[in-house]
Amino acid sequence: MPVSLVGSIVNDRPNFMAVGWVTRVNRNPPYLGVGINKAHYTPAGIRKNGAFSVNFPPADLVAETDYCGVVSGKNTDKSTIFELFYGEMKTAPMIKKCPLCLECKLVDIHEMPSNVLFIGEIVAAYTEEKYLTNGQPDVKKMNLMILTMPDNNYWSIGDHVGKAFYTSSLSLCPRP
Amino acid sequence: MPVSLVGSIVNDRPNFMAVGWVTRVNRNPPYLGVGINKAHYTPAGIRKNGAFSVNFPPADLVAETDYCGVVSGKNTDKSTIFELFYGEMKTAPMIKKCPLCLECKLVDIHEMPSNVLFIGEIVAAYTEEKYLTNGQPDVKKMNLMILTMPDNNYWSIGDHVGKAFYTSSLSLCPRP
């Protein structure tokens, strides 16, 4: 799963939690879904403000990222760990050192037994020129991380395996 | 995003589509969500049978995987690409060569403008002893793939970056 930091304003303070349960869910408009346990501190902030951010940290922020997955905003102020910035919505705090930050407007909430799926429309995406190749986000330049559970490990992105949406015929490929 | 092949029975035939929009969404019971465009062939099969599988292919199946993301079951029989097996539900076809296969019972459907989020309870997970370390799935032994868009590339899992759910204090870590 991808490693992200979900940002929100909770009790008037920016807060970040590490989240691996995140995926695009709708193509048009561009929606993102994040599955968050109801016991966490973040849900109240997202519900109140109708906004959240999804920030993808580079591997050199692994300690800060993991810390945000271990300690709760209920008893720890996480607002000063990172240097922040804001987009048009003033209630989706984003992290300057993250090479990709998505600003999301809450559009739907799907309730489940232990978790809530917050569905947000991506209203803005922030990156820097140095992280792009041919005008597109370059995951290797961004040095993003992968999370596996239940072994609980972070990984970098590895070697290029192949082009996607490319194989229109299997007869062209050697079969195992 | 992770690379998966979602299996279903559509018009009485096993079918597989490549899906990157997949994530765990609920902890207990274990739910998985897959976001699929309504225009695809797969949704009718999942709705009819209330079942689907999520199979994670190894890098050596990159061509077959990509092919399943390019051609549609509407005009191509994809039932013979892989050797299949079934669990207790007879309508969630799974792929023998995939090191991790999750058999899902549809529990909820979340409709969105262009896509549907199918939420399934994982009723069984299939792997082999050789893919485990300390009794847990080992993503390196499985040799699973990552997908990036819109550059459309497949990647392997890279180097170990750190332990997760481990950092209870930032004062222990050198700050940048």
Side-chain angles (χ1 to χ4, degrees):
Chain A
M1 55 196 87
V3 175
S4 77
L5 287 162
V6 170
S8 59
I9 301 287
V10 193
N11 294 329
D12 303 320
R13 199 163 65 188
N15 185 71
F16 294 92
M17 74 173 286
V19 171
W21 296 4
V22 54
T23 182
R24 282 288 304 277
V25 290
N26 193 71
R27 175 177 290 268
N28 188 16
Y31 290 174
L32 206 66
V34 293
I36 300 181
N37 197 298
K38 294 177 185 179
H40 282 305
Y41 187 65
T42 291
I46 298 180
R47 288 180 196 271
K48 182 180 178 195
N49 299 302
F52 61 97
S53 68
V54 180
N55 308 270
F56 296 92
D60 49 296
L61 287 184
V62 62
E64 287 81 353
T65 300
D66 192 53
Y67 179 73
C68 289
V70 170
V71 305
S72 172
K74 285 173 191 165
N75 39 46
T76 307
D77 177 2
K78 294 186 260 184
S79 69
T80 59
I81 299 172
F82 307 105
E83 209 179 333
L84 308 182
F85 71 99
Y86 292 84
E88 282 196 20
M89 295 192 304
K90 299 302 174 195
T91 48
M94 290 174 283
I95 299 170
K96 282 190 181 174
K97 278 198 175 168
C98 286
L100 181 64
C101 301
L102 306 177
E103 186 180 11
C104 298
K105 186 180 88 178
L106 183 68
V107 293
D108 218 341
I109 294 176
H110 189 87
E111 302 277 353
M112 291 168 293
S114 63
N115 288 56
V116 182
L117 188 73
F118 291 108
I119 298 176
E121 180 175 347
I122 303 168
V123 295
Y126 302 84
T127 188
E128 292 173 62
E129 193 67 37
K130 64 180 176 184
Y131 296 124
L132 303 180
T133 297
N134 300 325
Q136 294 178 335
D138 184 321
V139 75
K140 297 290 279 188
K141 289 179 180 172
M142 291 183 174
N143 196 19
L144 304 187
M145 291 183 284
I146 302 300
L147 169 67
T148 51
M149 289 170 61
D151 56 307
N152 299 345
N153 286 300
Y154 297 112
W155 308 90
S156 67
I157 310 287
D159 296 327
H160 188 248
V161 173
K163 286 294 296 173
F165 310 113
Y166 184 77
T167 313
S168 57
S169 167
L170 271 186
S171 60
L172 296 174
C173 312
R175 301 301 306 278
Chain B
M1 54 197 87
V3 175
S4 77
L5 288 162
V6 170
S8 59
I9 302 287
V10 194
N11 294 328
D12 302 321
R13 202 162 65 189
N15 185 72
F16 295 91
M17 75 173 287
V19 171
W21 295 4
V22 53
T23 183
R24 282 288 303 278
V25 290
N26 193 71
R27 176 177 289 268
N28 188 17
Y31 290 173
L32 205 67
V34 292
I36 300 180
N37 198 297
K38 294 177 185 179
H40 281 305
Y41 187 66
T42 291
I46 297 180
R47 288 180 195 271
K48 182 180 177 193
N49 298 302
F52 61 96
S53 68
V54 180
N55 309 269
F56 296 92
D60 49 297
L61 286 184
V62 63
E64 288 81 354
T65 300
D66 193 52
Y67 179 74
C68 288
V70 171
V71 303
S72 171
K74 285 173 191 163
N75 40 45
T76 306
D77 177 3
K78 294 187 262 184
S79 68
T80 59
I81 299 172
F82 308 105
E83 209 179 333
L84 307 182
F85 71 98
Y86 292 83
E88 281 195 21
M89 294 192 305
K90 299 304 175 195
T91 49
M94 290 174 281
I95 298 170
K96 282 189 182 175
K97 278 197 175 167
C98 286
L100 181 63
C101 301
L102 306 177
E103 187 181 11
C104 297
K105 186 180 87 177
L106 183 68
V107 293
D108 218 339
I109 294 177
H110 189 85
E111 303 277 353
M112 291 167 293
S114 63
N115 288 56
V116 183
L117 188 73
F118 291 107
I119 298 176
E121 179 175 348
I122 303 168
V123 295
Y126 301 85
T127 187
E128 292 173 63
E129 192 67 36
K130 65 180 176 184
Y131 297 123
L132 303 180
T133 296
N134 301 326
Q136 294 179 333
D138 185 320
V139 76
K140 297 291 277 187
K141 289 181 180 172
M142 291 183 174
N143 197 17
L144 304 187
M145 291 182 285
I146 302 302
L147 169 66
T148 51
M149 288 170 62
D151 55 308
N152 299 346
N153 285 301
Y154 297 112
W155 308 90
S156 67
I157 310 288
D159 295 329
H160 188 247
V161 173
K163 286 295 295 175
F165 309 114
Y166 184 79
T167 313
S168 58
S169 166
L170 272 186
S171 60
L172 296 173
C173 312
R175 299 301 304 278

